[in-house]
Amino acid sequence: MDNTTADILKRNQLSVTESRKKILDMFLHTRGALAHADIERHSGTDFDRVTVYRTLQTFVEKGIIHTIPTTDNSVRYALCKDECSAGHHHDDHVHFLCDSCGTTYCLDHVMVPSLELPGGFFATQTDVVVSGTCAKCNHA
Amino acid sequence: MDNTTADILKRNQLSVTESRKKILDMFLHTRGALAHADIERHSGTDFDRVTVYRTLQTFVEKGIIHTIPTTDNSVRYALCKDECSAGHHHDDHVHFLCDSCGTTYCLDHVMVPSLELPGGFFATQTDVVVSGTCAKCNHA
DNA sequence: AATGTAATGCAACAATGTTGCAAAATTTTT
DNA sequence: AAAAATTTTGCAACATTGTTGCATTACATT
């Protein structure tokens, strides 16, 4: 496990540090997505706020995690699939935000349909965020 | 024009005040979407920061404007179509964010396709944000 | 183990968002 | 049209979130 985080970091030409291992570990052990605040809360006094900001930024640049758009001024982050690499994200899957429990899911198997854009518009990325209630909350 | 903003406010059971008229007017005269910062910048010292926050919140609640999700911690707002009413937004159209000029467009005529969600998941709203370059920037 | 390089923590700051309350403006009632 | 009731605004103070520079520390390389 500790091995895995170190491996991922090395594979992305990043030096293996305690903070990076721990933050990456959080992502590996979370089904959904994490906001900056989640990480800070969860980590206690392990590392500085600034380190969290810089680590998340680094992970996004390297294509380890990707951002999920939200309407509440709290960007969330989730692990990228293997196909992502530095500077080239391929996260055209659907994100689901549960209004009831607040969890953000990556619906990896629901693909984003291609859209007909008006003339002159060219797309490089498409983000789909669906809100509603998740399977867990519906069965409760 | 001044008539129009007052009418919209009355139609939504809101008292007609200077700040609300001016902020609503900004939306009526903007093709794209506006972030809180845009409004504050554009308004100068006309009204307080707090008033902008509260006005935007009120407009969203009343269904006059809707939020557009972003990945940069700066929620944008755009006018709702007529079908929206208090508490019930129906803005399932596509938003386009130009990487070049930063403008946010509401592509009213590009409809959001319905998606097959995994079992147990129920959707109440679908937001689609496409990034790329807009028609204006491509022709330049 | 020693050196060079990169990441971290700290401090200070900037920007953004929130809350309570008195003053002012708007709406309703008389 | 004026007075009363209600709502909105502005101010102040505060809380949260995000940023930058630099000395210290940890990591990678030899």
Side-chain angles (χ1 to χ4, degrees), chain B residues 71-116:
Chain B
T71 51
D72 66 347
N73 278 326
S74 81
V75 173
R76 270 178 270 282
Y77 301 87
L79 277 180
C80 286
K81 299 300 144 203
D82 299 332
E83 311 89 45
C84 290
S85 59
H88 283 282
H89 286 276
H90 302 281
D91 295 289
D92 288 355
H93 58 269
V94 172
H95 293 109
F96 189 93
L97 174 58
C98 180
D99 293 328
S100 176
C101 64
T103 307
T104 304
Y105 297 85
C106 287
L107 302 180
D108 297 318
H109 302 301
V110 181
M111 293 316 288
V112 175
S114 60
L115 300 164
E116 288 270 340

Side-chain angles (χ1 to χ4, degrees), chain A residues 92-139:
Chain A
D92 289 355
H93 59 269
V94 172
H95 293 107
F96 188 93
L97 175 58
C98 180
D99 293 326
S100 176
C101 64
T103 307
T104 305
Y105 297 85
C106 287
L107 302 181
D108 297 317
H109 301 302
V110 181
M111 294 316 289
V112 174
S114 60
L115 300 164
E116 286 271 340
L117 295 180
F121 285 76
F122 289 100
T124 55
Q125 206 194 339
T126 303
D127 281 293
V128 179
V129 184
V130 181
S131 332
T133 40
C134 71
K136 208 160 71 181
C137 287
N138 274 321
H139 294 319

Side-chain angles (χ1 to χ4, degrees), chain A residues 14-15 17 19-20 46-48 50-51 54-55 73:
Chain A
L14 290 174
S15 19
T17 69
S19 348
R20 287 179 180 166
D46 282 4
F47 26 73
D48 199 77
V50 181
T51 302
R54 294 198 267 229
T55 303
N73 279 324

Side-chain angles (χ1 to χ4, degrees), chain B:
Chain B
M1 165 195 102
D2 192 277
N3 236 328
T4 325
T5 55
D7 285 349
I8 296 175
L9 291 172
K10 279 181 199 158
R11 197 180 314 141
N12 288 280
Q13 290 105 39
L14 290 174
S15 13
V16 179
T17 69
E18 278 307 305
S19 349
R20 285 180 180 165
K21 279 194 288 184
K22 280 192 186 165
I23 293 178
L24 185 48
D25 199 58
M26 283 187 211
F27 280 106
L28 291 173
H29 288 81
T30 307
R31 280 183 54 84
L34 294 171
H36 173 94
D38 296 326
I39 295 167
E40 209 176 313
R41 205 176 307 120
H42 192 284
S43 70
T45 51
D46 284 2
F47 26 73
D48 199 76
R49 249 157 33 81
V50 180
T51 302
V52 179
Y53 281 111
R54 293 197 267 227
T55 303
L56 290 174
Q57 190 180 310
T58 305
F59 284 2
V60 170
E61 281 164 7
K62 289 292 183 180
I64 301 174
I65 60 177
H66 64 273
T67 54
I68 302 172
T70 60
T71 51
D72 66 347
N73 278 326
S74 81
V75 173
R76 270 178 270 282
Y77 301 87
L79 277 180
C80 286
K81 299 300 144 203
D82 299 332
E83 311 89 45
C84 290
S85 59
H88 283 282
H89 286 276
H90 302 281
D91 295 289
D92 288 355
H93 58 269
V94 172
H95 293 109
F96 189 93
L97 174 58
C98 180
D99 293 328
S100 176
C101 64
T103 307
T104 304
Y105 297 85
C106 287
L107 302 180
D108 297 318
H109 302 301
V110 181
M111 293 316 288
V112 175
S114 60
L115 300 164
E116 288 270 340
L117 296 180
F121 284 76
F122 290 100
T124 55
Q125 208 195 337
T126 304
D127 282 292
V128 179
V129 183
V130 182
S131 331
T133 40
C134 71
K136 209 160 72 182
C137 288
N138 274 321
H139 294 319

Side-chain angles (χ1 to χ4, degrees), chain A residues 2-16:
Chain A
D2 192 277
N3 236 327
T4 324
T5 56
D7 285 349
I8 295 174
L9 292 172
K10 279 181 199 159
R11 198 181 314 141
N12 287 280
Q13 290 104 39
L14 290 174
S15 19
V16 179

